[in-house]
Amino acid sequence: MHRMTLVSRARECGLLVAAAMLVAPCLAAETDGSHDFDFNFGVWKTHVSRLLNPLSASPTRAEYDGTSVVSKIWGGRANIFELEVDGPAGHIEGAGLRLYNPQSRQWSLNWASSADGQLQPVMYGRFIEGRGEFFDQEVVDGKNVLVRNTFSDITPDSSRFEQAYSADGGRTWEENWIMTFARASGGGAAARTTAAPGHPASRRSAPGEHDFDSAFGTWQTHIRRLKDPLSGSNDWVEYDGTHSVRQVWNGRANLGELEADGQAGHLQALSTRYFNPQTHLWSVSYGTPRDGNLSRALVGQFKNGHGEFYGEETFKERVVLVREVYTPIDAWTRKLEVAYSADGGQSWETNWIMVDRLIGRP
């Protein structure tokens, strides 16, 4: 979000799944699909039926009940789906970020579980006549499988979601995850399940999982961006706008939204940050409404209030290292600096400086 110079990875239709399955999505429909998920906004009573051992011929399933919340981003061109359910087999908590690509007229689905904070492989697809189909390819228990997500039976107050695996190139499919949704009469956080013993909200915090708590709220932001990084140029452009950050998973993840304007134009982007309770590290990704893809994740942590995150991206057709540094200035002001290195980290060139000043807390 803070780095509008990020170049999202190009995705070519047909690389992830069999060409026959993606012929229709590759042929961009004439209709605009940017509001295909509008039916999903709101708070939902959610039932989950999960196959415990997919692709094993075992029919044993686990059942869960809870709540899901879907919130609008960019006027509907993106949204975040937050799921929290419980059952005899345990607790499931996760978040899905859905982004629309106006060029391909496809959506990307990005899912992460609070168990490890890691984004799963991206799924791509679209809605046709009220039914959404999304595909990717994954390795599951050592097997190379195709994965299909579908949204169907959509009404104003209900819908159905299914995930299925195919180990034979799409000839047969096994449903391993089914969710049914009924619109809740209430709304907001009050509709969520109550914390119980063993529930993540009531357990002991892992070191580092609240490092971004100070970022929650609405901020007035000033941005300086180097127009042409790694070129020797010192030509900077400036923007002013707002930056809002809200918590997910009781602070173990968060979503940031940035909107700013300057002489060089308009900036609009989002960021996702997920905490991994096993490694105590955070992963940070960015997206813009321009192409509907998330960037490669940067990974890092905070020490004494100072955060450093590292990753890589393709910039001007070469792979460069990326570094983000978060620095608190005072209780109401914080700074983010982004730098590139084209020499393996021996030298760094700062290309993005963003200073946030607090407007209000949630």
Side-chain angles (χ1 to χ4, degrees), residues 267-333:
L267 301 181
Q268 190 176 24
L270 60 78
S271 62
T272 59
R273 306 180 184 95
Y274 299 107
F275 181 71
N276 186 330
Q278 301 165 23
T279 64
H280 300 170
L281 298 173
W282 287 84
S283 61
V284 182
S285 297
Y286 299 90
T288 75
R290 185 172 54 251
D291 60 13
N293 288 316
L294 284 180
S295 69
R296 300 177 190 175
L298 305 178
V299 178
Q301 61 186 155
F302 281 78
K303 292 182 179 180
N304 300 319
H306 177 91
E308 289 195 7
F309 299 80
Y310 293 89
E312 63 180 29
E313 67 175 72
T314 301
F315 179 74
K316 293 183 176 179
E317 300 183 350
R318 56 176 167 170
V319 176
V320 299
L321 298 181
V322 185
R323 180 186 68 193
E324 286 192 349
V325 177
Y326 292 84
T327 306
I329 298 175
D330 55 40
W332 305 275
T333 312

Side-chain angles (χ1 to χ4, degrees), residues 34-72:
S34 62
H35 291 283
D36 282 337
F37 276 104
D38 283 8
F39 75 92
N40 210 200
F41 300 147
V43 181
W44 303 85
K45 296 179 181 178
T46 305
H47 178 77
V48 174
S49 178
R50 180 173 70 91
L51 194 62
L52 290 179
N53 297 291
L55 303 177
S56 68
S58 170
T60 306
R61 306 185 76 90
E63 309 294 323
Y64 306 79
D65 286 285
T67 304
S68 56
V69 181
V70 182
S71 305
K72 182 187 301 186

Side-chain angles (χ1 to χ4, degrees), residues 77-293:
R77 291 168 292 157
N79 61 81
I80 183 169
F81 165 75
E82 298 175 68
L83 174 71
E84 192 168 358
V85 293
D86 290 276
H91 179 80
I92 297 176
E93 189 174 25
L97 185 67
R98 301 137 170 188
L99 305 174
Y100 183 70
N101 185 327
Q103 282 78 45
S104 65
R105 295 189 173 94
Q106 287 183 296
W107 286 85
S108 66
L109 308 186
N110 306 268
W111 173 261
S113 166
S114 66
D116 60 10
Q118 300 295 302
L119 285 168
Q120 295 183 2
V122 186
M123 306 192 78
Y124 295 91
R126 64 185 180 121
F127 283 77
I128 298 177
E129 296 181 351
R131 177 183 171 89
E133 291 197 349
F134 302 82
F135 299 94
D136 81 342
Q137 175 272 330
E138 301 177 21
V139 176
V140 178
D141 293 333
K143 300 175 182 178
N144 188 40
V145 302
L146 300 180
V147 185
R148 180 185 68 195
N149 284 359
T150 61
F151 297 83
S152 63
D153 300 339
I154 297 169
T155 76
D157 296 311
S158 63
S159 62
R160 180 183 179 89
F161 169 89
E162 297 175 3
Q163 181 183 82
Y165 288 162
S166 174
D168 57 12
R171 289 185 290 275
T172 62
W173 294 88
E174 178 188 74
E175 295 174 352
N176 60 75
W177 181 284
I178 300 171
M179 288 192 292
T180 54
F181 303 94
R183 190 175 294 279
S185 57
R192 292 188 176 281
T193 51
T194 303
H199 187 288
S202 61
R203 62 165 176 74
R204 180 178 298 177
S205 296
E209 73 176 51
H210 290 290
D211 282 337
F212 276 103
D213 282 10
S214 62
F216 301 150
T218 302
W219 305 78
Q220 182 180 32
T221 189
H222 179 76
I223 299 165
R224 295 183 68 236
R225 179 177 68 87
L226 190 62
K227 288 184 67 175
D228 193 11
L230 303 179
S231 68
S233 169
N234 194 35
D235 186 10
W236 291 77
V237 292
E238 301 192 17
Y239 306 82
D240 288 285
T242 57
H243 177 207
S244 63
V245 182
R246 70 176 182 88
Q247 66 173 323
V248 180
W249 303 341
N250 296 307
R252 288 165 288 129
N254 61 78
L255 173 71
E257 296 181 66
L258 170 70
E259 192 159 3
D261 292 278
Q263 290 183 339
H266 181 71
L267 301 181
Q268 190 176 24
L270 60 78
S271 62
T272 59
R273 306 180 184 95
Y274 299 107
F275 181 71
N276 186 330
Q278 301 165 23
T279 64
H280 300 170
L281 298 173
W282 287 84
S283 61
V284 182
S285 297
Y286 299 90
T288 75
R290 185 172 54 251
D291 60 13
N293 288 316

